[in-house]
Amino acid sequence: LTQNTWEGLGIKGGAALDVKIINPLTFHSDFSVDLERDISKGFTPSYFLNPNDFATLNTISDNSTWSNYYVWDNLLTYDQIWGNSHLTAMGGTSTELTHGLTYAASIQGIVNNDENMRIINSGTQNPGTSGYTYSNSLLSFFGRVNYILKDKYILTGNIRRDGSSNFGEGHEWGTFPSIAATWRFSNEDFIQKSGLSSWLEDAKLRASYGLVGNQNVGSGAYLTTYGNTSRYLFGNVN
């Protein structure tokens, strides 16, 4: 018998900028935004079908959520070829920011089930409210160098430094390096001369080592909670 309605508004957009500074150096910047607004309303009428199937009180509820998500990436790239050597280097930053809010209200005891009466202020019994705000951010610095010699030997190095608001004070930042070496042996002369290249077009051997991170934990999970109210204690809890 519950009757629900929902309205939502979403706005997504972005802008990008590419600048060729001096050959072979280029700059790329990308900004995007994702905005969402949602409202939902629910109503459960009072009714009487028989002594075993009835609801004395009707119930109305309103729920609203909004969120703002922003991403801004900046990238500086160097790409140069000298004879048999090809060097690519890249460095950049990435910023993510999220803000949001959700709240809900409900009440019972509206005079009747008329549609015009289905507003929170018409109720008289058992009011209830809930809501919270949330915010999290991520800031990253990263770099990559890739060197190719004779289209056979490839050396790649990466490094990232990420700072996340999901972690507590003094633990927000992590550094994650990696390195890889690749041998494209399908381009070696002995492969070309053997006739294997007709079906062995791009064969490689690769060895790599690296560290990765994970920020998929609840925002504020590091904070001490008390009671059963999802509130947090800040500072010295003694």
Side-chain angles (χ1 to χ4, degrees), residues 69-74 93-97 137-140:
Y69 175 60
Y70 308 95
V71 181
W72 188 23
D73 296 329
N74 294 284
T93 65
S94 179
T95 305
E96 298 181 31
L97 178 63
S137 58
L138 175 68
L139 176 60
S140 302

Side-chain angles (χ1 to χ4, degrees), residues 41-137:
K41 297 178 179 290
F43 180 71
T44 303
S46 57
Y47 66 94
F48 183 89
L49 296 179
N50 58 60
N52 297 316
D53 191 356
F54 66 94
T56 304
L57 297 175
N58 48 23
T59 304
I60 186 170
S61 63
D62 288 347
N63 299 271
S64 179
T65 61
W66 65 260
S67 67
N68 297 340
Y69 175 60
Y70 308 95
V71 181
W72 188 23
D73 296 329
N74 294 284
L75 192 64
L76 193 63
T77 302
Y78 177 89
D79 193 333
Q80 183 67 57
I81 297 175
W82 302 279
N84 293 325
S85 297
H86 184 186
L87 176 65
T88 303
M90 175 268 289
T93 65
S94 179
T95 305
E96 298 181 31
L97 178 63
T98 302
H99 287 302
L101 165 70
T102 180
Y103 67 86
S106 64
I107 200 166
Q108 295 182 309
I110 299 171
V111 174
N112 56 51
N113 293 330
D114 188 274
E115 187 173 353
N116 294 325
M117 296 296 294
R118 298 176 188 178
I119 57 176
I120 294 294
N121 284 350
S122 296
T124 58
Q125 299 182 50
N126 304 321
T129 59
S130 64
Y132 61 90
T133 60
Y134 60 91
S135 177
N136 56 71
S137 58

Side-chain angles (χ1 to χ4, degrees), residues 165-221:
S165 64
N166 287 350
F167 301 103
E169 184 178 353
H171 301 278
E172 303 97 329
W173 290 92
T175 302
F176 309 101
S178 69
I179 188 169
T182 303
W183 175 33
R184 184 179 284 122
F185 60 86
S186 57
N187 286 359
E188 293 287 357
D189 291 341
F190 67 86
I191 295 292
Q192 301 293 323
K193 293 177 181 179
S194 68
L196 294 175
S197 60
S198 60
W199 58 272
L200 200 62
E201 295 182 1
D202 191 10
K204 304 174 185 176
L205 288 177
R206 187 172 188 268
S208 63
Y209 173 82
L211 299 176
V212 296
N214 183 1
Q215 65 150 352
N216 293 326
V217 297
S219 181

Side-chain angles (χ1 to χ4, degrees), residues 150-171:
K150 297 182 178 180
D151 203 27
K152 303 176 187 178
Y153 316 109
I154 306 170
L155 185 64
T156 304
N158 295 277
I159 190 167
R160 287 185 64 95
R161 183 158 176 80
D162 298 314
S164 172
S165 64
N166 287 350
F167 301 103
E169 184 178 353
H171 301 278

